[in-house]
mmCIF file of all heavy atoms in Angstrom:
data_model
loop_
_atom_site.group_PDB
_atom_site.id
_atom_site.type_symbol
_atom_site.label_atom_id
_atom_site.label_comp_id
_atom_site.label_asym_id
_atom_site.label_seq_id
_atom_site.Cartn_x
_atom_site.Cartn_y
_atom_site.Cartn_z
ATOM 1 N N THR A 159 0.429 2.306 -0.579
ATOM 2 C CA THR A 159 1.219 3.564 -0.663
ATOM 3 C C THR A 159 0.315 4.716 -0.818
ATOM 4 O O THR A 159 -0.835 4.627 -1.240
ATOM 5 C CB THR A 159 2.134 3.517 -1.891
ATOM 6 O OG1 THR A 159 2.795 4.793 -1.928
ATOM 7 C CG2 THR A 159 1.354 3.298 -3.154
ATOM 8 N N ASP A 160 0.732 5.866 -0.298
ATOM 9 C CA ASP A 160 -0.026 7.095 -0.410
ATOM 10 C C ASP A 160 0.395 7.861 -1.657
ATOM 11 O O ASP A 160 -0.188 8.955 -1.947
ATOM 12 C CB ASP A 160 0.161 7.950 0.854
ATOM 13 C CG ASP A 160 -0.509 7.305 2.082
ATOM 14 O OD1 ASP A 160 -1.469 6.664 1.871
ATOM 15 O OD2 ASP A 160 0.009 7.478 3.184
ATOM 16 N N ASP A 161 1.396 7.414 -2.400
ATOM 17 C CA ASP A 161 1.860 8.104 -3.570
ATOM 18 C C ASP A 161 0.698 8.191 -4.632
ATOM 19 O O ASP A 161 0.028 7.160 -4.810
ATOM 20 C CB ASP A 161 3.091 7.440 -4.166
ATOM 21 C CG ASP A 161 4.403 7.968 -3.572
ATOM 22 O OD1 ASP A 161 4.317 8.991 -2.965
ATOM 23 O OD2 ASP A 161 5.406 7.271 -3.652
ATOM 24 N N ASP A 162 0.611 9.242 -5.352
ATOM 25 C CA ASP A 162 -0.325 9.313 -6.478
ATOM 26 C C ASP A 162 0.468 9.580 -7.715
ATOM 27 O O ASP A 162 -0.043 10.134 -8.727
ATOM 28 C CB ASP A 162 -1.347 10.427 -6.276
ATOM 29 C CG ASP A 162 -0.743 11.822 -6.197
ATOM 30 O OD1 ASP A 162 0.445 11.906 -5.997
ATOM 31 O OD2 ASP A 162 -1.528 12.743 -6.234
ATOM 32 N N ASP A 163 1.734 9.197 -7.740
ATOM 33 C CA ASP A 163 2.535 9.438 -8.933
ATOM 34 C C ASP A 163 3.119 8.079 -9.522
ATOM 35 O O ASP A 163 4.241 8.048 -10.039
ATOM 36 C CB ASP A 163 3.782 10.353 -8.616
ATOM 37 C CG ASP A 163 3.325 11.810 -8.479
ATOM 38 O OD1 ASP A 163 2.341 12.197 -9.220
ATOM 39 O OD2 ASP A 163 3.863 12.485 -7.656
ATOM 40 N N ILE A 164 2.312 7.077 -9.358
ATOM 41 C CA ILE A 164 2.748 5.761 -9.949
ATOM 42 C C ILE A 164 2.658 5.843 -11.429
ATOM 43 O O ILE A 164 1.679 6.391 -12.030
ATOM 44 C CB ILE A 164 1.837 4.652 -9.366
ATOM 45 C CG1 ILE A 164 2.017 4.495 -7.908
ATOM 46 C CG2 ILE A 164 2.079 3.315 -10.120
ATOM 47 C CD1 ILE A 164 1.031 3.540 -7.283
ATOM 48 N N ILE A 165 3.612 5.241 -12.143
ATOM 49 C CA ILE A 165 3.603 5.103 -13.523
ATOM 50 C C ILE A 165 3.366 3.625 -13.914
ATOM 51 O O ILE A 165 4.147 2.811 -13.493
ATOM 52 C CB ILE A 165 4.897 5.558 -14.245
ATOM 53 C CG1 ILE A 165 5.144 7.076 -13.945
ATOM 54 C CG2 ILE A 165 4.899 5.338 -15.745
ATOM 55 C CD1 ILE A 165 6.558 7.548 -14.348
ATOM 56 N N LEU A 166 2.231 3.358 -14.513
ATOM 57 C CA LEU A 166 1.852 1.936 -14.817
ATOM 58 C C LEU A 166 1.836 1.759 -16.352
ATOM 59 O O LEU A 166 1.204 2.451 -17.077
ATOM 60 C CB LEU A 166 0.533 1.659 -14.249
ATOM 61 C CG LEU A 166 -0.044 0.211 -14.561
ATOM 62 C CD1 LEU A 166 0.808 -0.838 -14.002
ATOM 63 C CD2 LEU A 166 -1.503 0.142 -14.074
ATOM 64 N N HIS A 167 2.665 0.827 -16.762
ATOM 65 C CA HIS A 167 2.703 0.479 -18.255
ATOM 66 C C HIS A 167 2.621 -1.005 -18.397
ATOM 67 O O HIS A 167 3.144 -1.792 -17.660
ATOM 68 C CB HIS A 167 4.031 0.942 -18.833
ATOM 69 C CG HIS A 167 4.266 0.480 -20.218
ATOM 70 N ND1 HIS A 167 3.494 0.920 -21.307
ATOM 71 C CD2 HIS A 167 5.068 -0.467 -20.777
ATOM 72 C CE1 HIS A 167 3.840 0.267 -22.400
ATOM 73 N NE2 HIS A 167 4.831 -0.540 -22.126
ATOM 74 N N ALA A 168 1.823 -1.454 -19.391
ATOM 75 C CA ALA A 168 1.657 -2.876 -19.637
ATOM 76 C C ALA A 168 1.520 -3.196 -21.105
ATOM 77 O O ALA A 168 1.061 -2.325 -21.891
ATOM 78 C CB ALA A 168 0.402 -3.354 -18.905
ATOM 79 N N ILE A 169 1.977 -4.365 -21.518
ATOM 80 C CA ILE A 169 1.783 -4.904 -22.820
ATOM 81 C C ILE A 169 0.453 -5.640 -22.751
ATOM 82 O O ILE A 169 0.314 -6.552 -21.958
ATOM 83 C CB ILE A 169 2.880 -5.838 -23.213
ATOM 84 C CG1 ILE A 169 4.288 -5.134 -23.118
ATOM 85 C CG2 ILE A 169 2.707 -6.407 -24.607
ATOM 86 C CD1 ILE A 169 5.458 -6.068 -23.204
ATOM 87 N N ILE A 170 -0.484 -5.265 -23.619
ATOM 88 C CA ILE A 170 -1.860 -5.871 -23.547
ATOM 89 C C ILE A 170 -2.165 -6.579 -24.874
ATOM 90 O O ILE A 170 -2.215 -5.948 -25.921
ATOM 91 C CB ILE A 170 -2.894 -4.781 -23.258
ATOM 92 C CG1 ILE A 170 -2.557 -3.961 -22.078
ATOM 93 C CG2 ILE A 170 -4.284 -5.411 -23.179
ATOM 94 C CD1 ILE A 170 -2.656 -4.734 -20.714
ATOM 95 N N GLU A 171 -2.478 -7.900 -24.698
ATOM 96 C CA GLU A 171 -2.897 -8.664 -25.878
ATOM 97 C C GLU A 171 -4.372 -8.132 -26.194
ATOM 98 O O GLU A 171 -5.248 -8.190 -25.337
ATOM 99 C CB GLU A 171 -3.005 -10.130 -25.614
ATOM 100 C CG GLU A 171 -1.631 -10.758 -25.410
ATOM 101 C CD GLU A 171 -1.723 -12.248 -25.106
ATOM 102 O OE1 GLU A 171 -2.823 -12.666 -24.707
ATOM 103 O OE2 GLU A 171 -0.721 -12.928 -25.311
ATOM 104 N N SER A 172 -4.495 -7.630 -27.438
ATOM 105 C CA SER A 172 -5.721 -6.732 -27.665
ATOM 106 C C SER A 172 -6.589 -7.274 -28.861
ATOM 107 O O SER A 172 -7.511 -6.574 -29.268
ATOM 108 C CB SER A 172 -5.329 -5.328 -27.878
ATOM 109 O OG SER A 172 -4.507 -4.882 -26.877
ATOM 110 N N GLY A 173 -6.309 -8.405 -29.436
ATOM 111 C CA GLY A 173 -7.110 -8.831 -30.517
ATOM 112 C C GLY A 173 -8.469 -9.374 -30.056
ATOM 113 O O GLY A 173 -8.799 -9.333 -28.962
#
Side-chain angles (χ1 to χ4, degrees):
T159 177
D160 291 329
D161 273 340
D162 64 345
D163 285 326
I164 295 173
I165 299 171
L166 176 63
H167 171 69
I169 303 167
I170 305 294
E171 294 180 340
S172 307

